[in-house]
Amino acid sequence: GAVVSQHPSWVICKSGTSVKIECRSLDFQATTMFWYRQFPKQSLMLMATSNEGSKATYEQGVEKDKFLINHASLTLSTLTVTSAHPEDSSFYICSLPLAGRSYNEQFFGPGTRLTVL
Amino acid sequence: AQRVTQPEKLLSVFKGAPVELKCNYSYSGSPELFWYVQYSRQRLQLLLRHISRESIKGFTADLNKGETSFHLKKPFAQEEDSAMYYCAPTSNSGYALNFGKGTSLLVTP
């Protein structure tokens, strides 16, 4: 299967600062990646679809100016949480489809735990 | 509205007992349905997709369009099956996944 990494695995920051989270595909290329958010004891919620070479598509209720997504290469997507606040504390997970199979078969990164003080 | 319902937050069964994790969906069109599993301290991984009609780790799931259900079943649960299970139909865009709230399965000896 595909190998997806995320960096960092956890981060603690002060309120008002920006945090960048990287999602890398280590062994195949992906034109699309997805970003999810998971609050404690809750399910994953799709935040946005990251598209290589074009703008990301955001789900309803997700502020695009707050959660900046960049997909500059076929193996890297980044999510930047700008001016983070305590309510942004969550588990952020990326995923991407395996090329050559059903588009909906996705491989997930290990997640990044963000804590905003 | 697109909706996925997993009514049980926690399901506890004894080893060797049958287990059924329920999933009901409310989707327009013909959704593609998946079960994902997350073992302790591991990342989410695909367990089953309905199109394949396969059996993975002894689990099966049948799509019942009449009841709009996609329940996950296993005849004899094992301790290593203890995990968080998510039912996930495709979203409106057809590409990403909308997850149910998940069911935590605990298999005790």
Side-chain angles (χ1 to χ4, degrees), chain B residues 5-40:
Chain B
T5 304
Q6 290 183 252
E8 304 126 337
K9 277 182 94 170
L10 174 65
L11 188 60
S12 182
V13 301
F14 288 110
K15 177 182 173 181
V19 63
E20 180 180 66
L21 288 80
K22 293 184 168 56
C23 172
N24 289 89
Y25 63 92
S26 172
Y27 263 72
S28 57
S30 300
E32 197 171 340
L33 288 142
F34 303 82
W35 277 97
Y36 276 76
V37 60
Q38 187 170 27
Y39 300 103
S40 179

Side-chain angles (χ1 to χ4, degrees), chain A residues 46-84:
Chain A
L46 179 66
M47 297 176 66
T49 302
S50 172
N51 303 300
E52 188 267 335
S54 64
K55 290 182 180 179
T57 305
Y58 291 82
E59 295 298 300
Q60 194 172 10
V62 178
E63 301 174 56
K64 61 181 181 181
D65 295 329
K66 171 106 179 133
F67 299 99
L68 300 179
I69 291 173
N70 184 276
H71 194 151
S73 78
L74 289 171
T75 58
L76 173 65
S77 175
T78 60
L79 168 69
T80 301
V81 184
T82 62
S83 186

Side-chain angles (χ1 to χ4, degrees), chain A residues 4 38 43 103-105 108, chain B residues 36 43 49 86 90 95 100:
Chain A
V4 180
Q38 184 177 31
S43 186
Y103 196 78
N104 284 317
E105 284 196 36
F108 288 83
Chain B
Y36 276 76
R43 66 187 70 188
R49 49 189 296 248
Y86 293 96
T90 49
Y95 297 131

Side-chain angles (χ1 to χ4, degrees), chain A residues 3-5 34 36 38 41-46 49 59 91 93 102-110, chain B residues 6 9 32 34 36 38 42-46 49 52 86 90-91 93-102:
Chain A
V3 180
V4 180
S5 70
F34 300 124
Y36 294 85
Q38 184 177 31
K41 299 188 186 299
Q42 295 189 28
S43 186
L44 282 79
M45 296 298 296
L46 179 66
T49 302
E59 295 298 300
F91 199 52
I93 305 168
S102 163
Y103 196 78
N104 284 317
E105 284 196 36
Q106 297 182 40
F107 287 81
F108 288 83
Chain B
Q6 290 183 252
K9 277 182 94 170
E32 197 171 340
F34 303 82
Y36 276 76
Q38 187 170 27
Q42 294 187 29
R43 66 187 70 188
L44 267 168
Q45 56 186 287
L46 178 68
R49 49 189 296 248
S52 313
Y86 293 96
T90 49
S91 70
S93 63
Y95 297 131
L97 298 174
N98 272 337
F99 285 81
K101 291 188 183 295

Side-chain angles (χ1 to χ4, degrees), chain B residues 52-71:
Chain B
S52 313
R53 300 186 64 81
E54 57 202 340
S55 173
I56 303 293
K57 299 184 179 182
F59 284 97
T60 58
D62 288 322
L63 177 61
N64 186 320
K65 291 186 178 181
E67 296 180 0
T68 59
S69 68
F70 188 53
H71 303 327

Side-chain angles (χ1 to χ4, degrees), chain A residues 4-24:
Chain A
V4 180
S5 70
Q6 283 185 239
H7 178 80
S9 55
W10 60 269
V11 57
I12 301 173
C13 69
K14 291 183 179 179
S15 185
T17 60
S18 294
V19 175
K20 181 187 284 188
I21 301 170
E22 293 184 348
C23 175
R24 289 185 186 273

